[in-house]
């Protein structure tokens, strides 16, 4: 009887373990990897291309990423849980900037490895600020020189790597082009070499620990920033008001079959009435296009039909209001 109890307990434990097949792989590695750097060096693009799927939003505007986002890369050798962070910057003009910096710095707690991303041809004061933050830790840091494909003289990357290596004791230095998927296989090998041997934390089919509600709000914000970023750079945020899944069914009125669908209602908050007009656009054309583009990305990411409804409202001073930031998820 006692042996039967032990066997049952073992079976139950194995059943609830994340992807048991990985546990049998000798030397499998797992760990958290923070992706840090100043704004607009391609941190989110790097994570998206490492994952092979768009998860973190991108735009040409600095500080597009406002939250810590976990992306999960699993293969036969490792599970790397990437922590995409807001860009660390000096000018904490408003409360939201201060919270973004705190979110980025706090990502350095309890990670196994740091990817410090820099631009191949631009070294700025904010890069030094990030390096100073890393110097206060005992973490292994891999320098990722992004946009290496833009260097006119490819040979110049070697002295650039030596210059960086003289400034900090990096565990490795890897030049890449995140946008063009260049040298990312090498970067994955380097990441795996620095992670501890451990069982996977998440199911290997999972790509993020963020909810669909959060991802939906980020997709909408990205489409607005890409469409009206220069006119409404940071003064907007998105709140999901409703997120309802409807199973496939027969319409009781028409008798016609209806496919499964998710109904999403979202409010876009801006700080001034003039910005509201910009987001809506002439005769509502901009907000209509934002909705179409966002819905398309959501259907691809969530793999289901989406019905999206958008409203635009003015919430004055939200980006410098601590209570408003908390209520909006910052």
């Amino acid at each position: 009887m006692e042996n039967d109890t032990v066997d049952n307990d073992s079976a139950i434990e194995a059943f609830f373990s994340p992807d048991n097949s990985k546990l049998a792989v000798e030397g499998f590695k797992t760990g958290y990897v923070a992706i840090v750097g100043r704004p607009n060096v391609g941190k989110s693009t790097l994570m998206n291309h490492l994952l092979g799927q768009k998860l973190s939003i991108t735009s040409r505007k600095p500080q597009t990423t406002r939250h810590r986002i976990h992306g999960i890369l699993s293969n036969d050798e490792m599970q790397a849980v990437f922590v995409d962070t807001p860009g660390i910057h000096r000018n904490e003009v408003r409360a939201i900037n201060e919270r973004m910096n705190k979110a980025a710095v706090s990502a350095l707690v309890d990670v196994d490895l740091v990817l410090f991303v820099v631009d191949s041809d631009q070294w700025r004061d904010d890069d030094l600020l990030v390096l100073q933050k890393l110097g206060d830790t005992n973490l292994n840091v891999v320098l990722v020189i992004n946009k290496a494909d833009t260097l006119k003289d490819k040979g110049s990357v070697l002295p650039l790597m030596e210059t960086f290596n003289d400034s900090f004791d990096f565990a490795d230095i890897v030049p890449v082009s995140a946008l063009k998927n260049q040298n990312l296989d090498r970067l994955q090998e380097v990441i795996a070499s620095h992670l501890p041997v451990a069982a996977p934390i998440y199911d290997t089919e999972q790509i993020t620990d963020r909810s669909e509600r959060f991802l939906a709000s980020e997709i909408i914000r990205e489409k607005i920033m890409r469409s009206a970023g220069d006119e409404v750079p940071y003064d907007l945020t998105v709140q999901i008001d409703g997120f309802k899944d409807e199973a496939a069914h027969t319409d009781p009125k028409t008798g016609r079959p209806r496919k499964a669908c998710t109904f999403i209602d979202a409010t876009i908050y801006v700080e001034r009435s003039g910005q509201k007009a910009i987001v809506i656009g002439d005769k509502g054309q901009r907000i209509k296009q934002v909705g179409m583009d966002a819905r398309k990305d959501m259907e691809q990411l969530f793999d289901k039909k989406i019905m999206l409804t958008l409203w635009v409202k003015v919430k004055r001073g939200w980006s410098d209001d601590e209570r408003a930031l908390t209520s909006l998820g910052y």
Side-chain angles (χ1 to χ4, degrees):
M1 179 68 71
E2 184 177 345
N3 288 338
D4 290 342
T5 302
V6 172
D7 290 342
N8 287 338
D9 289 344
S10 299
I12 292 170
E13 182 179 353
F15 180 82
F16 284 104
S17 295
D19 198 339
N20 307 308
S21 61
K22 296 297 182 187
L23 300 179
V25 178
E26 186 177 355
F28 189 84
K29 296 186 173 185
T30 296
Y32 286 90
V33 182
I35 306 176
V36 303
R38 64 170 169 82
N40 214 31
V41 291
K43 299 184 295 299
S44 296
T45 300
L46 176 63
M47 186 178 80
N48 289 340
H49 283 265
L50 283 168
L51 295 176
Q53 184 164 343
K54 184 174 179 179
L55 183 64
S56 195
I57 70 171
T58 61
S59 81
R60 292 174 297 175
K61 302 299 294 183
Q63 300 170 29
T64 299
T65 299
R66 292 177 180 170
H67 307 266
R68 282 188 356 198
I69 300 173
H70 286 177
I72 304 164
L73 171 65
S74 300
N75 57 35
D76 291 337
E77 288 79 35
M78 72 168 179
Q79 182 176 90
V81 184
F82 295 109
V83 187
D84 186 21
T85 63
I88 298 175
H89 51 288
R90 293 184 186 275
N91 296 324
E92 296 184 352
V93 180
R94 292 176 289 185
I96 189 173
N97 300 103
E98 182 180 356
R99 292 205 179 193
M100 288 164 64
N101 268 347
K102 286 182 178 178
V105 174
S106 66
L108 300 178
V109 178
D110 296 329
V111 298
D112 301 283
L113 183 67
V114 175
L115 303 184
F116 174 36
V117 185
V118 299
D119 195 316
S120 63
D121 62 354
Q122 296 182 33
W123 179 258
R124 298 179 182 172
D125 288 342
D126 280 345
D127 291 307
L128 292 175
L129 175 63
V130 180
L131 206 55
Q132 290 169 5
K133 301 286 187 184
L134 295 175
D136 295 333
T137 73
N138 294 318
L139 295 167
N140 283 336
V141 180
V142 173
L143 176 67
V144 180
I145 304 176
N146 193 24
K147 307 176 186 179
D149 60 304
T150 62
L151 291 171
K152 294 181 180 179
D153 179 10
K154 303 304 180 185
S156 64
V157 74
L158 292 177
L160 181 64
M161 291 169 66
E162 292 177 1
T163 300
F164 281 124
N165 203 35
D166 290 340
S167 64
F168 192 89
D169 185 18
F170 292 106
D172 271 294
I173 300 178
V174 186
V176 304
S177 171
L179 192 61
K180 296 187 177 180
N181 284 320
Q182 293 179 358
N183 215 28
L184 296 189
D185 289 344
R186 170 58 185 160
L187 180 57
Q188 286 193 36
E189 293 174 1
V190 168
I191 292 169
S193 71
H194 291 290
L195 294 183
V197 174
I201 300 168
Y202 297 97
D203 189 292
T204 54
E205 296 301 315
Q206 193 171 341
I207 63 166
T208 185
D209 63 344
R210 285 289 193 169
S211 68
E212 289 185 344
R213 292 176 70 103
F214 172 82
L215 296 174
S217 69
E218 286 289 272
I219 289 171
I220 296 167
R221 187 165 64 87
E222 178 195 57
K223 300 311 175 188
I224 301 168
M225 291 192 73
R226 285 178 173 269
S227 176
D230 292 334
E231 298 168 284
V232 192
Y234 311 114
D235 295 341
L236 68 90
T237 193
V238 178
Q239 177 174 286
I240 302 299
D241 303 309
F243 198 103
K244 181 181 179 182
D245 291 317
E246 184 178 89
H249 65 284
T250 301
D251 191 312
K253 294 182 179 179
T254 65
R256 295 177 180 176
R258 296 187 62 173
K259 294 182 180 179
C261 183
T262 296
F263 293 83
I264 301 175
D265 298 331
T267 300
I268 301 159
Y269 288 106
V270 294
E271 296 205 334
R272 296 185 294 276
S273 56
Q275 294 169 338
K276 178 179 179 180
I278 291 171
V279 171
I280 293 174
D282 184 34
K283 297 180 181 179
Q285 287 302 306
R286 173 169 283 155
I287 194 65
K288 180 180 179 181
Q289 189 63 49
V290 164
M292 292 170 59
D293 294 342
R295 181 177 56 79
K296 182 179 178 180
D297 274 17
M298 289 178 200
E299 290 184 339
Q300 182 175 358
L301 181 61
F302 303 151
D303 192 26
K304 55 186 175 182
K305 182 177 176 59
I306 300 292
M307 291 293 289
L308 177 63
T309 305
L310 300 176
W311 287 270
V312 185
K313 296 181 180 180
V314 176
K315 192 178 186 74
R316 299 187 185 279
W318 72 265
S319 63
D320 203 26
D321 183 320
E322 296 287 353
R323 290 182 63 185
L325 288 169
T326 300
S327 69
L328 290 167
Y330 289 92

